[in-house]
Amino acid sequence: MTTKVSTDMLANVTSKTLTTSSASDEGKIVQLNASGKIPSTLISITTHQWRYTGTFAVGTGEVIVDTGDGWEVIDTTGQAVNNGSDTTGMTVHEGVFSFPSTGIWLVTVNALFTRNSSDVALIVADLMATSGSGGSTTTRVAQGCGSVSSSALQCSVTASSLLDVSNTTDVKVKVQVSAHSSGCDFSGHTSFNKSYLTFQKIS
């Protein structure tokens, strides 16, 4: 059943100042914008994707993905990110990603590995999260594994976890990779997603 509301009843709606996640806004009405959508400033969902743009050889030691050309926000025609109610999106420094706001976040890493010289029986991509004072403690929260060979030159590895970002100063994430032996690359691209991270604010 549809209830029609007269224009007179909505006369003062546009003058209301709404914030997000505030008890003072309980019971208020939200007016759709000219595109028929809820204004982005009132939507708490932030969605971001960052892709790796370089390529580097993976060794037997565990390393944080920050070498080569580094990370960039996706920017190819047709791609988009949404800051939602956050002033900014994700930021990165030396391979460590910081969140723009507290909440529950879904973080997913997709890593593409390519054989460069020899077969590699085990390749690992870890999603690492920090906690504690200033992010002093690092914990593995998700892991994906794969392999490459002369008959399978590439493999795509995925790892994902929900994170409770209770403090943006302490809780951060980074990608760590390693391999059983040398012979493969961590592969990225500057024009489309090969190895990339997806950040989605759930609540």
Side-chain angles (χ1 to χ4, degrees):
M1 178 177 156
T2 302
T3 302
K4 293 184 177 181
V5 180
S6 67
T7 303
D8 292 341
M9 294 177 67
L10 297 175
N12 295 321
V13 171
T14 55
S15 66
K16 298 293 184 181
T17 300
L18 301 180
T19 58
T20 57
S21 303
S22 173
S24 64
D25 287 331
E26 181 181 3
K28 289 184 178 179
I29 297 173
V30 174
Q31 186 175 34
L32 302 181
N33 61 22
S35 300
K37 299 179 180 180
I38 297 175
S40 60
T41 55
L42 302 180
I43 300 175
S44 61
I45 299 175
T46 300
T47 53
H48 258 234
Q49 268 194 344
W50 289 66
R51 62 173 165 239
Y52 193 72
T53 60
T55 296
F56 68 91
V58 180
T60 56
E62 296 176 334
V63 296
I64 301 303
V65 179
D66 185 43
T67 55
D69 298 324
W71 297 95
E72 69 172 12
V73 179
I74 57 171
D75 58 2
T76 302
T77 301
Q79 293 184 314
V81 298
N82 179 24
N83 288 345
S85 60
D86 291 315
T87 303
T88 62
M90 301 294 299
T91 56
V92 63
H93 178 65
E94 297 182 348
V96 180
F97 287 83
S98 298
F99 297 88
S101 62
T102 58
I104 304 299
W105 289 76
L106 175 62
V107 183
T108 303
V109 56
N110 291 80
L112 182 68
F113 297 96
T114 305
R115 184 181 188 274
N116 65 22
S117 61
S118 58
D119 295 355
V120 182
L122 178 62
I123 309 168
V124 178
D126 292 314
L127 188 62
M128 311 295 290
T130 66
S131 60
S133 178
S136 56
T137 302
T138 301
T139 304
R140 179 181 289 104
V141 293
Q143 184 177 82
C145 302
S147 62
V148 293
S149 65
S150 57
S151 59
L153 298 178
Q154 294 182 326
C155 73
S156 183
V157 173
T158 301
S160 179
S161 181
L162 286 165
L163 294 179
D164 180 6
V165 183
S166 57
N167 185 317
T168 58
T169 301
D170 298 341
V171 184
K172 304 174 188 291
V173 291
K174 50 192 174 183
V175 178
Q176 176 179 277
V177 296
S178 61
H180 179 263
S181 60
S182 59
C184 69
D185 291 332
F186 182 85
S187 300
H189 202 280
T190 188
S191 298
F192 58 90
N193 295 2
K194 275 192 170 183
S195 294
Y196 57 96
L197 276 161
T198 303
F199 303 91
Q200 297 172 289
K201 188 173 183 179
I202 305 301
S203 64

